[in-house]
């Protein structure tokens, strides 16, 4: 089994160290604590079952960005439609004069 530190695991899965710590506290990840030079170091033990669960639970950044962009596009399309209506009203008003 491969072991990674919290920071290495966070970088590998593009997570914050805070989120990795939350996963450790909620026992979603198998950990091993060892002492090196008087410091406790927490290693995350990688196994296939946990990795599949973690990957399924992580929402990719692209999906978040795509959702936000789609929302913005819809908003802008509504705004453009509204502005075009205003322009038509102003053209008709000017033509009447």
């Amino acid at each position: 089994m491969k072991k990674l530190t919290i920071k290495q695991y966070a970088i590998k899965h593009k997570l914050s160290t805070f989120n990795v710590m939350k996963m450790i506290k909620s026992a979603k990840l198998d950990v091993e604590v060892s002492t090196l030079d008087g410091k406790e170091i927490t290693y995350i033990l990688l196994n296939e079952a946990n990795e599949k669960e973690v990957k399924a639970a992580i929402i990719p950044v692209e999906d978040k960005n795509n959702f936000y962009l789609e929302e913005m596009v819809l908003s802008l399309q509504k705004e453009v439609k509204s502005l075009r209506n205003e322009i038509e009203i102003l053209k008709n008003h000017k033509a009447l004069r």
Side-chain angles (χ1 to χ4, degrees), residues 7 52 55:
K7 185 175 182 179
K52 288 179 183 176
K55 286 181 181 178

Side-chain angles (χ1 to χ4, degrees), residues 38-83:
K39 294 182 180 180
E40 282 189 0
I41 299 177
T42 303
Y43 291 103
I44 299 169
L45 305 173
L46 299 179
N47 59 26
E48 294 301 317
N50 281 353
E51 286 300 300
K52 288 179 183 176
E53 287 180 28
V54 169
K55 286 181 181 178
I58 296 172
I59 300 171
V61 175
E62 296 86 29
D63 289 348
K64 290 179 188 174
N65 287 341
N66 286 341
F67 176 75
Y68 177 72
L69 290 175
E70 289 173 8
E71 193 176 291
M72 289 298 298
V73 167
L74 291 174
S75 173
L76 290 171
Q77 286 174 339
K78 288 179 184 176
E79 185 71 24
V80 166
K81 187 176 182 179
S82 171
L83 290 171

Side-chain angles (χ1 to χ4, degrees):
M1 248 191 259
K2 191 173 179 183
K3 297 190 290 187
L4 295 174
T5 64
I6 294 171
K7 185 175 182 179
Q8 291 170 338
Y9 190 84
I11 291 170
K12 178 182 177 187
H13 291 287
K14 296 180 182 175
L15 297 169
S16 68
T17 52
F18 177 75
N19 285 338
V20 175
M21 289 300 297
K22 283 180 14 182
M23 292 165 60
I24 291 171
K25 297 282 184 193
S26 65
K28 290 182 181 176
L29 298 173
D30 297 330
V31 295
E32 176 184 290
V33 179
S34 62
T35 305
L36 183 66
D37 296 331
K39 294 182 180 180
E40 282 189 0
I41 299 177
T42 303
Y43 291 103
I44 299 169
L45 305 173
L46 299 179
N47 59 26
E48 294 301 317
N50 281 353
E51 286 300 300
K52 288 179 183 176
E53 287 180 28
V54 169
K55 286 181 181 178
I58 296 172
I59 300 171
V61 175
E62 296 86 29
D63 289 348
K64 290 179 188 174
N65 287 341
N66 286 341
F67 176 75
Y68 177 72
L69 290 175
E70 289 173 8
E71 193 176 291
M72 289 298 298
V73 167
L74 291 174
S75 173
L76 290 171
Q77 286 174 339
K78 288 179 184 176
E79 185 71 24
V80 166
K81 187 176 182 179
S82 171
L83 290 171
R84 285 184 177 156
N85 287 339
E86 280 187 46
I87 289 172
E88 286 301 316
I89 291 170
L90 291 172
K91 282 182 181 178
N92 291 338
H93 182 68
K94 185 177 181 182
L96 293 175
R97 285 187 172 184

